[in-house]
Amino acid sequence: MEGPSDLRFWRKVLHRTFPQHRFDVRNMSNRPRLIRESVRLLETFRDAHYPAGVIVLDQDKNPCSTDLSDLFDETVRAELRRPIDERYLFLCIAKRKIESWYLADSEAVQSVFPSVQYDMPNDTSIWGKRKLGELCRAAGLTYNEISFAEQIAPHFSANRAMKFSESLTIGWARVEAAVGRAQGITYE
């Protein structure tokens, strides 16, 4: 994961969604370090006999996911090019920022901001931290990434959110592929 808010969110969501699995969620502090350390992480996870590895990062201003893949070492890129059913390492890219995924679950957002009217678009990839800041201000709060990630995680449903985020749909399929590898099953 890129940072501490991602760590707090994913640790709760993954363990709640897939309680039969153990996840080793790591905070790499920032994108450059995550990319730089990806080969070492891949080796560490394989040495620990984990059934799969998942990297989650924001698209930010990169125009496409191929550009993001090109930032990784050739060892990682080679793994990402393998067919999904043969892949050990999975890359999940949040279009714009991870906050667009949070905002794709209006029920979870309303749980965090019960007094604020939330009109969600058909695709939340147009939003990010700025929209969360607006919602916080409307609720009389100051936006704090870590606090918000912790608050929304218990309410977040990927199944609800995927309807409003194409990048989450793709990313969640990668997570399910990694989980399925651990169980020897395929998620539809």
Side-chain angles (χ1 to χ4, degrees), residues 79-147:
E79 183 61 34
L80 295 174
R81 285 191 298 266
R82 296 179 66 163
I84 293 286
D85 60 337
E86 297 174 17
R87 193 176 297 178
Y88 178 83
L89 185 67
F90 299 86
L91 179 61
C92 303
I93 301 170
K95 189 164 183 184
R96 190 161 180 194
K97 296 218 175 262
I98 192 77
E99 288 80 7
S100 70
W101 289 3
Y102 303 161
L103 291 164
D105 183 353
S106 63
E107 190 175 313
V109 171
Q110 284 298 160
S111 294
V112 176
F113 302 116
S115 65
V116 175
Q117 176 65 35
Y118 178 55
D119 297 318
M120 187 174 70
N122 288 334
D123 182 2
T124 59
S125 67
I126 61 171
W127 283 343
K129 292 179 187 179
R130 182 183 300 165
K131 183 62 177 179
L132 285 177
E134 290 172 12
L135 292 170
C136 283
R137 284 188 295 283
L141 305 168
T142 302
Y143 177 60
N144 177 292
E145 285 182 50
I146 295 172
S147 176

Side-chain angles (χ1 to χ4, degrees), residues 18 20-21 23 52 174-185 187:
F18 305 105
Q20 68 277 28
H21 294 283
F23 294 90
R174 301 293 192 263
V175 170
E176 288 181 331
V179 169
R181 173 171 290 248
Q183 291 181 290
I185 62 171
Y187 283 84

